[in-house]
Structures are given as C-alpha cells and as structure tokens.
Amino acid sequence: LLITVGASLLGFYGWPLAERMLEKPASSEEITSDNMGQSAVRYGLESIALGALAVVGAQQGIIRGLHPLVSSAMGVTIALGGVMRDLMCGRDLALGASTGCQSYGIASFSGAVVYVALRELHVWNCAGSTSKLLNGGIPIGLRILLGFGTVFGIRAAAWQNKPDGLLLTMDESAESNKKSVDRLVSLLTAKSPPAS
C-alpha cells in the first residue's frame, strides 16, 4: 500500500516537473507541423501506459470471473483514469484531436480483446489437464506481449496518420454518408432501359 501511495504521489507531483524538463525552447524554426518534437516522447509514454492498463484491466475482469466481453471492456474503462486526471488537474481534454487521442479507446479495447482471446484459447486448449494449464499452452508473457503490442501498433498507426487521424471526424462522416445516400438515390431513381 505504501508503494502504491508513494508512486501515485510521485506521478501526480512529478509529472509537471518531467513535462517542463522535456519541453524544447520555443523557437519558430524548431517547432513546425512536420516536426513533432517532444510530443512524440509523451505520445510514446502514453501508449506504453495505455498498453499496460489495457492488459491489467482485462486481467482484473478475468480474475473476478467476468464474461470475456466484459473483461475486454474493463481494459478500456481502466484507461479512463487519464481522462479523470486531466479533468482534476484542469487540463484541456484532447480526445479526438490531432494528437492521436482518437485511438485511445480503439487501441485499449483491441489490446484487451487480444489478451482475453488468447487467454480463452489457452484455457480451452488446456481443458481437463491441470499440468497443461500451468506448464503448457500459450505462455502468459506472450499473451501480455501480444495484447500490449496490439495497443502500441494501433497507437503507432494513429500517430503515422496524424493529422488525418485514425477515424473520420463527425463532419467527415456526415459528408461521406450524405454522398452515399445521394448515390443510392440516384441509382434507384435512374430509369431502367425499356424492355424489348
């Protein structure tokens, strides 16, 4: 308990100090839209934490005997602590912004699903044999690594697609849907050739 409280206090009070140390001096030549600067470090650290939280959240659902889908969802809900932190610290929420935060929920859910699916496959494969369950099947380290790797891969893809984003914005989705409906209406209202 003391280690947990100590780590929480260190993270809460140490993060602003670490942020100031990682900032580059603001000069017009150094920071451009193509130069991601220190935000790449922050994004990478955030992705590592998100991967760990997705796997830990899914594992907590499994330990409590919850359904695999609920366990996967816990991999997302446990990651909402970052949103709560931003609210409590008075920081701007950047969900869906060009910082790649769109991928937050998708990445954590995907990583949790991979971890839970591999765990279910492991249990199914080793059913009826306690020794196989403990010593055989899919090693836990591999399950953790693949769940974490899924989160990190999706976050990396979101970073690569920046500023376009991993998903369409609401306005882009509405425009795309309108074009699809217009095409469908034009196809349905087009006159068919007369039968001979």
Side-chain angles (χ1 to χ4, degrees), residues 65-162:
L66 299 175
H67 189 273
L69 186 59
V70 175
S71 297
S72 298
M74 284 188 68
V76 177
T77 58
I78 197 169
L80 288 176
V83 173
M84 296 304 294
R85 174 205 62 215
D86 291 345
L87 287 173
M88 291 175 67
C89 293
R91 296 165 104 189
D92 292 333
L93 292 177
L95 296 176
S98 62
T99 58
C101 291
Q102 278 183 339
S103 63
Y104 212 79
I106 295 168
S108 59
F109 184 69
S110 299
V113 164
V114 166
Y115 178 77
V116 169
L118 289 172
R119 195 267 184 188
E120 290 297 312
L121 182 64
H122 170 74
V123 170
W124 175 76
N125 186 36
C126 300
S129 172
T130 305
S131 110
K132 264 179 89 174
L133 189 63
L134 295 176
N135 299 322
I138 304 169
I140 191 165
L142 180 62
R143 296 188 309 241
I144 291 170
L145 183 66
L146 290 174
F148 175 80
T150 301
V151 172
F152 205 78
I154 290 173
R155 294 279 289 176
W159 182 264
Q160 194 67 26
N161 291 333
K162 185 181 176 180

